[in-house]
């Protein structure tokens, strides 16, 4: 059964760093586009960083560009979101997601293109 599990969230002070992990089971993550999304209380879900894995550029939302980095480790069937210079406005539940099968996705982070979602990991940035 296909499953995505996020981890690595927590409480961090402004300016701090976290590394989120998204581990897949039941399928080979390296064949799939993967997106990181987040949702803060009372706000709509936002695409943070999405990688099509088709040789194109990784997308980053303007709000995180230069601070967050997407990476993959095929040996661990895991993708990561490295988050630096964290701000209180980064506080949210972070989710990873993939399409139901390996296919090309549009450049950007469009939630409608992603079918499998993890349960999320909470990130809180506060002093």
């Amino acid at each position: 059964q296909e499953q995505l599990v996020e981890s690595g969230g927590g409480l961090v002070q402004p300016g701090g760093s976290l590394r989120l992990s998204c581990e897949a089971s039941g399928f080979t993550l390296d064949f799939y586009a993967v997106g990181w999304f987040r949702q803060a209380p009372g706000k709509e879900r936002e695409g943070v960083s999405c990688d099509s894995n088709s040789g194109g550029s990784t997308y980053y939302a303007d709000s995180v560009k230069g601070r967050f980095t997407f990476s993959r480790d095929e040996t661990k069937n895991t993708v990561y979101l490295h988050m630096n210079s964290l701000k209180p406005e980064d506080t949210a539940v972070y989710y990873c997601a993939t399409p139901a099968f390996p296919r090309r996705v549009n450049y950007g982070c469009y939630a409608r293109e992603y079918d499998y979602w993890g349960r999320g990991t909470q990130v809180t940035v506060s002093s």
Side-chain angles (χ1 to χ4, degrees), residues 47-70:
V48 175
S49 178
C50 294
D51 182 72
S52 66
N53 202 32
S54 62
S57 300
T58 301
Y59 168 85
Y60 295 96
D62 287 343
S63 58
V64 306
K65 202 171 294 182
R67 300 188 298 122
F68 290 12
T69 304
F70 181 106

Side-chain angles (χ1 to χ4, degrees), residues 10-16 18 86-92 123-127:
L11 173 64
V12 63
Q13 292 187 341
L18 284 174
L86 283 161
K87 304 175 181 180
E89 50 263 45
D90 295 318
T91 295
V123 172
T124 303
V125 185
S126 174
S127 56

Side-chain angles (χ1 to χ4, degrees), residues 2-90:
E2 296 81 3
Q3 189 176 15
L4 296 168
V5 178
E6 303 94 339
S7 62
L11 173 64
V12 63
Q13 292 187 341
S17 299
L18 284 174
R19 187 186 74 169
L20 303 185
S21 300
C22 172
E23 182 175 6
S25 58
F27 65 107
T28 302
L29 196 57
D30 202 45
F31 296 154
Y32 287 71
V34 179
W36 283 101
F37 296 80
R38 67 186 180 186
Q39 189 164 20
K43 295 188 177 181
E44 293 187 355
R45 182 171 50 192
E46 173 188 18
V48 175
S49 178
C50 294
D51 182 72
S52 66
N53 202 32
S54 62
S57 300
T58 301
Y59 168 85
Y60 295 96
D62 287 343
S63 58
V64 306
K65 202 171 294 182
R67 300 188 298 122
F68 290 12
T69 304
F70 181 106
S71 68
R72 294 177 181 260
D73 186 339
E74 64 180 34
T75 66
K76 296 182 179 180
N77 210 25
T78 299
V79 301
Y80 302 98
L81 186 66
H82 306 261
M83 307 188 297
N84 297 318
S85 303
L86 283 161
K87 304 175 181 180
E89 50 263 45
D90 295 318

